[in-house]
Amino acid sequence: MHNEGDRVRPSSTRRRGTVDYMRIAGSRSNVHGLVEVDVTEARERIRTIAEQTDETLSFTGFVVFCLGRAIEDHPESNAYRDWRGRIHVFDDVDVNVLVETTIHGEQLGVPHVVRATNRRSLRSVHDEIRTAQESSDPTALPRRSTLALRLPGIVRRQLWRLPQLFPKRWKGMAGTVAVTSIGMFGGGSGWAVTPTNYTVQLTVGGIDTKPRYIDGELSPREILNLTVTFDHDVVDGATATRFTGRLRELIEDAHGIPEPDDL
């Protein structure tokens, strides 16, 4: 039965790319960890900086910075298998981060690669993310990419097999690890579990206030819901556990964020 209010519209070329990516990513040996991280100290320092300097430090930039440092301490996580079964371990931690921006009045999350985060300062990472957010149209695709997305699906999807085939090409195109966020478009707590083509991906969820014992006393704390995803074909459980512990430590210590007396 036909309803006059029904509409049929073609899928955009960018949406085709997303569909292809998710289909290939779903075939990887991904393992997800749902982690609660106390971000009270980090958020308090960010608020203090905003009050004293009228500048809000990017929380996403802070997470990206901590991710770079954690992988620097556990470099075996910054690796991919090639088509011959060899493991490629990269020195630079290139983070593909989902950046919130506004295009034609609509909030969108678009990918941007922050290169060599393990060798950069938090300020440098923050400035690059802010610049990407203020870009006039970071969603614009090169002509070659637009034409590629018009190819038949069975051909297009081979592009997303690059991590398994040619890791160096994947690094140059899309980075080595990823950070995405569901918290940027809404409040409240919660985790997201999603397929990924990366060996390591962080999915930043919501932040909620929960009671925690600190030095024997119960106090309200700001708790971040963080999903840490690993490709088990590359990273084993012990390595993943050590990496996640180091990442949690860095975030909870507000690593890289100046204390009020240092401003």
Side-chain angles (χ1 to χ4, degrees):
M1 183 175 64
H2 175 71
N3 293 322
E4 292 184 0
D6 294 344
R7 293 178 297 165
V8 177
R9 59 182 177 83
S11 177
S12 68
T13 54
R14 185 174 289 277
R15 175 55 56 184
R16 293 176 193 172
T18 300
V19 171
D20 294 337
Y21 174 88
M22 296 301 282
R23 287 186 179 178
I24 297 301
S27 65
R28 294 174 70 92
S29 303
N30 291 330
V31 176
H32 309 278
L34 307 182
V35 184
E36 290 189 336
V37 182
D38 189 336
V39 293
T40 307
E41 179 66 23
R43 298 256 292 177
E44 181 60 33
R45 291 190 191 183
I46 290 174
R47 284 190 287 266
T48 300
I49 291 173
E51 292 171 359
Q52 297 186 9
T53 67
D54 292 326
E55 181 182 34
T56 301
L57 187 68
S58 167
F59 185 78
T60 298
F62 166 63
V63 173
V64 169
F65 175 74
C66 290
L67 173 61
R69 290 297 186 273
I71 290 184
E72 177 80 6
D73 294 338
H74 299 280
E76 60 272 29
S77 302
N78 199 38
Y80 287 84
R81 290 170 59 92
D82 67 12
W83 64 279
R84 295 171 60 183
R86 300 175 302 180
I87 302 295
H88 292 242
V89 181
F90 296 108
D91 291 332
D92 288 345
V93 183
D94 296 340
V95 182
N96 190 315
V97 57
L98 193 65
V99 174
E100 180 185 13
T101 189
T102 302
I103 303 297
H104 304 304
E106 181 182 2
Q107 280 188 306
L108 297 172
V110 297
H112 175 81
V113 179
V114 183
R115 301 289 178 181
T117 59
N118 53 316
R119 296 188 285 107
R120 296 172 59 174
S121 66
L122 175 56
R123 166 58 62 178
S124 172
V125 173
H126 163 83
D127 288 344
E128 181 168 338
I129 289 177
R130 286 288 185 249
T131 299
Q133 290 173 331
E134 295 167 1
S135 175
S136 59
D137 188 1
T139 64
L141 291 173
R143 177 175 174 80
R144 182 181 297 179
S145 298
T146 301
L147 293 175
L149 289 174
R150 296 184 183 278
L151 295 171
I154 192 171
V155 178
R156 296 194 312 266
R157 284 189 284 275
Q158 301 313 305
L159 174 67
W160 300 117
R161 297 189 186 278
L162 281 176
Q164 296 96 329
L165 301 176
F166 306 104
K168 288 185 178 180
R169 290 188 181 181
W170 175 255
K171 177 183 184 297
M173 181 182 71
T176 60
V177 297
V179 173
T180 185
S181 175
I182 63 169
M184 62 170 61
F185 300 118
S189 62
W191 287 272
V193 176
T194 177
T196 180
N197 234 11
Y198 290 87
T199 299
V200 176
Q201 175 172 294
L202 304 184
T203 303
V204 180
I207 296 175
D208 199 7
T209 301
K210 297 182 179 181
R212 290 289 188 273
Y213 279 101
I214 305 297
D215 296 328
E217 295 185 3
L218 195 64
S219 62
R221 308 293 291 181
E222 294 182 82
I223 304 299
L224 168 68
N225 299 135
L226 187 67
T227 305
V228 187
T229 302
F230 297 94
D231 181 354
H232 208 309
D233 288 346
V234 180
V235 180
D236 61 25
T239 299
T241 299
R242 289 192 295 268
F243 164 81
T244 302
R246 179 55 175 157
L247 177 65
R248 184 206 294 269
E249 178 184 9
L250 291 167
I251 294 176
E252 293 189 343
D253 288 346
H255 182 69
I257 305 178
E259 295 189 30
D261 293 340
D262 296 331
L263 294 176

